[in-house]
Amino acid sequence: MPRLADDFVAFVRPLLGSVEPVPLHAPQFAGREKDYVLEAINSTFVSSVGGFVDRFEAAVAQYTGARHAVATVNGTAALHTALMLVGTAPGDEVITQPVTFVATANAIRYCGAEPVFVDVERETLGLSPEKLERFLRAHATPGGGGCVNKTTGRTLRACVPVHTLGHPARTGALREICDRFGLALVEDAAEALGSFRDGCHTGRSGQVGIFSFNGNKTITTGGGGMLVTNDPSLAERAKHLTTTGKLPHPWAYVHDVVGYNYRMPNLNAALGCAQLERLPAILQSKRRLATAYARFFEGKGVTLLREPPNCRSNYWLNAVILRDEQQRDDFLRRTHDGGVRTRPLWEPLHRLSMFRQCQADDLEEATWICQRLVTIPSGVKWSGEETR
């Protein structure tokens, strides 16, 4: 393993530049970002009202194929809003996976609901349809208010699969199961802009999908998120909730619900418009990097995570699966000593102190994956040049 890690460090540096340390995923600004941000500044519309917000929403809707898009301050805000849109209320439960960033479960708690953790599959790192079906058959029963967890007595309101590291989960199968059991499907596609399954962009199989444009994502607005849906009433409700519940009026301040100050500022949207123009080139560069990694790791006794069948992944973060936890930790330590930033996968959410009491099914695959997986530098530079 020391030899593999040292060889990897030597391999990565000419590919992604000689910056010390080599970052896991740094943003790149090689388009019209400065021009658009300056234009937004000169317009004096720098907060949540402005032409770039409307333009960015329209561009994301067109790119993903969704009918409506609503821009938010971050992906967590988008997910919180999405869960409220499908009726998630205090005392409800929402099924999700333990292999994800903590924001997924945090958004559930923001609604006053409890996460329920069901296992993932190795091929996609996403929620397993087979495990979901098994869990619901064992624990769910029809009730007057919908699907009820007969173990806890709470209403099971929604299911939130995650397109982990940009690889599409099997949302078609998940949607069919959710429909049968009366669950809303909300897609956490925070990491998956530019990823497709069977020609359909991530975020479009459920009632609502969300994306993140944090500084480490495939494209960035600095901080930002987006909610997409084909339902015009949900889109209208989302915009109302995220604009503090203010009723439209030329001058009066009248609010009819407890809303949230969740709208994306125009400055951030300006950055996003320029980044989105470069998305095809960024995705092409990231695929070339994934191919180079596949060649490097071939025959070395580790598995590079590749896109699932019938999918086109954005390869947000490339990842390798090592033999065991000890080999994972040795690789992490050695690459960090060599000035290359690698990371383990997140701590499984059911092990975090605030979620340990939540109901969890058999999580064998999630445990296996988190003990072995390492994410590796996945920026958009190629051979020391920025993608144009």
Side-chain angles (χ1 to χ4, degrees):
M1 182 51 58
R3 175 62 183 275
L4 174 63
D6 291 346
D7 288 348
F8 179 72
V9 168
F11 177 76
V12 163
R13 287 199 172 280
L15 243 61
L16 297 177
S18 57
V19 175
E20 179 70 32
V22 176
L24 186 66
H25 196 290
Q28 295 293 324
F29 305 112
R32 302 188 65 186
E33 289 88 353
K34 292 181 181 179
D35 295 337
Y36 289 174
V37 170
L38 183 59
E39 184 179 337
I41 291 172
N42 290 337
S43 76
T44 74
F45 289 97
V46 296
S47 295
S48 58
V49 176
F52 281 110
V53 177
D54 298 336
R55 178 173 164 183
F56 190 44
E57 289 174 334
V60 170
Q62 181 179 25
Y63 180 81
T64 61
R67 293 181 183 173
H68 306 279
V70 178
T72 61
V73 291
N74 52 55
T76 310
L79 184 55
H80 179 205
T81 304
L83 288 167
M84 289 189 292
L85 292 178
V86 299
T88 308
D92 286 349
E93 293 178 338
V94 176
I95 296 173
T96 192
Q97 58 192 68
V99 178
T100 179
F101 183 57
V102 69
T104 305
N106 284 347
I108 295 169
R109 278 283 176 83
Y110 294 168
C111 296
E114 286 294 300
V116 174
F117 298 112
V118 172
D119 209 3
V120 299
E121 54 186 7
R122 294 188 194 184
E123 188 175 64
T124 67
L125 305 185
L127 189 68
S128 165
E130 290 77 19
K131 296 288 184 69
L132 177 63
E133 174 97 30
R134 188 183 72 181
F135 175 85
L136 290 171
R137 286 187 177 277
H139 297 282
T141 184
C147 186
V148 175
N149 186 336
K150 61 186 178 184
T151 302
T152 65
R154 297 191 183 104
T155 296
L156 286 161
R157 184 66 63 190
C159 176
V160 182
V162 182
H163 300 292
T164 313
L165 305 184
H167 297 294
R170 289 195 286 149
T171 45
L174 293 169
R175 177 65 184 263
E176 189 274 329
I177 295 167
C178 288
D179 286 348
R180 280 193 283 112
F181 282 90
L183 298 175
L185 182 65
V186 175
E187 291 182 60
D188 185 341
E191 304 157 8
L193 185 71
S195 296
F196 296 79
R197 174 176 285 277
D198 297 321
C200 181
H201 197 286
T202 53
R204 289 185 51 219
S205 294
Q207 283 90 333
V208 191
I210 69 97
F211 301 98
S212 170
F213 307 113
N214 188 35
N216 66 353
K217 294 302 190 291
T218 303
I219 68 168
T220 183
T221 58
M226 190 75 75
L227 178 153
V228 296
T229 181
N230 286 336
D231 187 328
S233 63
L234 291 183
E236 183 179 4
R237 179 70 171 168
K239 190 165 290 190
H240 187 57
L241 283 173
T242 57
T243 315
T244 66
K246 182 182 181 297
L247 296 174
H249 192 278
W251 59 80
Y253 290 90
V254 180
H255 306 256
D256 64 347
V257 295
V258 175
Y260 300 85
N261 190 12
Y262 276 177
R263 289 288 278 159
M264 177 183 286
N266 201 42
L267 285 175
N268 298 81
L271 192 64
C273 287
Q275 288 268 291
L276 194 59
E277 289 174 354
R278 297 181 56 243
L279 181 57
I282 289 171
L283 294 173
Q284 183 181 23
S285 175
K286 291 173 77 65
R287 293 188 73 82
R288 293 203 305 269
L289 180 59
T291 299
Y293 277 152
R295 291 171 182 160
F296 172 80
F297 285 109
E298 187 176 4
K300 291 183 170 62
V302 299
T303 301
L304 179 73
L305 195 66
R306 301 307 301 267
E307 62 192 1
N310 304 316
C311 293
R312 189 170 181 84
S313 298
N314 67 1
Y315 285 104
W316 171 54
L317 288 183
N318 286 281
V320 291
I321 298 175
L322 301 170
R323 183 180 62 245
D324 52 31
E325 194 169 6
Q326 181 62 52
Q327 191 180 53
R328 179 202 70 177
D329 290 347
D330 288 345
F331 186 85
L332 287 166
R333 188 177 303 109
R334 194 81 179 184
T335 51
H336 273 250
D337 288 346
V340 174
R341 291 294 177 257
T342 56
R343 293 287 188 274
L345 207 51
W346 314 280
E347 183 72 11
L349 298 192
H350 67 289
R351 294 182 180 174
L352 299 180
S353 59
M354 59 281 202
F355 300 124
R356 283 177 189 159
Q357 82 285 4
C358 296
Q359 185 177 9
D361 198 21
D362 167 34
L363 303 177
E364 179 181 3
E365 292 299 314
T367 300
W368 188 93
I369 290 165
C370 290
Q371 287 174 340
R372 293 163 173 81
L373 191 143
V374 172
T375 55
I376 56 180
S378 302
V380 302
K381 284 188 177 181
W382 178 257
S383 298
E385 297 180 358
E386 291 185 352
T387 303
R388 293 291 192 259

